[in-house]
Amino acid sequence: VVGNWFGTSNDTTTNESFSSSSIDLPHDQYDTIIADYLIGAMDGFSPYRQEEMIPKLVALLKPGGNLYIIGLEPIPEKTDGPANIICKVRRTRDACIQLAGHRCYREYPVQWIQNQIEKIPDFVLKGTEKFPILYRYDTILRQIDVGRRKFPFFPKPELVDAMKVVLDELDEEARELTSTDTPIKYGFDYVVSAQKKLYPK
């Protein structure tokens, strides 16, 4: 299911393609729900409503049903060693998105997801799996290209010229750091599983 869970947004900076209507589901309740990077994407389309999302999904589960939340542990501002290129690219990509007048995605840490689950009555945290991320040149390049695709939306050509230089430099640095065909291991994706009690109190 793809769409905006909270209907039309009044925020003019929200990405328009997902802001026209709310989700229309064919059934009232489900045995299994997989939220595939949903929480992280919400800030781009339904900002400030992340805390409402998990309870909304739980309400759609049958008793005994399972919810799987997939997410990306947020990338920090900086880190040590070659992995810092990942942080630099993330910062610059997000700057391009904002200069274009668009909203960035906002990833949430696995601890935040677990805390939200534990607040919901008759909903039980079952487990968490973490999957390390391996960054190759093409992986990093895709994020650099996200920034480049925002150039047509920049308000001034001087900004495009300046940011083009920055992204080209990051492109070259990423190529050099991954030239040995050894990927950069940094951060992780996660899957948090939880279950709605079959016999709630």
Side-chain angles (χ1 to χ4, degrees):
V1 178
V2 178
N4 190 338
W5 286 85
F6 294 95
T8 301
S9 171
N10 293 323
D11 185 345
T12 57
T13 63
T14 299
N15 294 341
E16 295 177 357
S17 60
F18 284 77
S19 62
S20 59
S21 63
S22 58
I23 295 291
D24 183 19
L25 298 174
H27 305 290
D28 293 331
Q29 289 190 310
Y30 298 84
D31 295 309
T32 302
I33 296 175
I34 300 174
D36 189 17
Y37 299 98
L38 172 61
I39 304 297
M42 285 184 63
D43 220 54
F45 309 109
S46 300
Y48 316 120
R49 306 191 72 171
Q50 287 85 346
E51 291 187 2
E52 301 175 45
M53 191 67 250
I54 296 177
K56 182 183 280 282
L57 294 174
V58 173
L60 291 168
L61 279 175
K62 294 179 180 178
N66 294 288
L67 172 63
Y68 299 90
I69 300 175
I70 302 171
L72 168 69
E73 190 71 8
I75 298 171
E77 296 301 308
K78 61 181 179 179
T79 191
D80 296 327
N84 193 46
I85 184 65
I86 311 303
C87 303
K88 291 163 67 175
V89 168
R90 195 273 302 164
R91 291 200 313 266
T92 310
R93 177 205 65 195
D94 287 357
C96 289
I97 293 170
Q98 292 182 321
L99 284 169
H102 301 157
R103 295 190 67 90
C104 301
Y105 287 4
R106 182 186 180 192
E107 305 296 344
Y108 278 72
V110 65
Q111 185 65 57
W112 186 90
I113 300 293
Q114 293 168 336
N115 290 345
Q116 295 301 308
I117 288 172
E118 290 172 345
K119 293 177 183 178
I120 301 173
D122 300 316
F123 196 52
V124 181
L125 178 65
K126 302 295 288 186
T128 300
E129 295 287 339
K130 298 178 182 179
F131 303 91
I133 301 173
L134 300 178
Y135 290 90
R136 295 178 171 80
Y137 171 69
D138 60 341
T139 313
I140 302 171
L141 180 61
R142 282 198 294 271
Q143 298 306 310
I144 293 173
D145 285 342
V146 169
R148 288 170 170 154
R149 288 196 294 271
K150 297 299 178 179
F151 288 169
F153 304 101
F154 279 21
K156 293 184 178 181
E158 295 86 353
L159 285 172
V160 174
D161 294 340
M163 194 58 80
K164 183 178 185 301
V165 171
V166 174
L167 289 176
D168 286 350
E169 290 175 350
L170 289 173
D171 190 332
E172 183 59 30
E173 183 179 354
R175 189 185 298 273
E176 291 176 358
L177 288 170
T178 56
S179 61
T180 61
D181 291 331
T182 300
I184 298 172
K185 183 178 179 180
Y186 187 69
F188 59 89
D189 294 300
Y190 58 79
V191 179
V192 178
S193 60
Q195 186 176 56
K196 192 173 189 177
K197 287 186 177 179
L198 188 60
Y199 302 107
K201 293 180 180 179

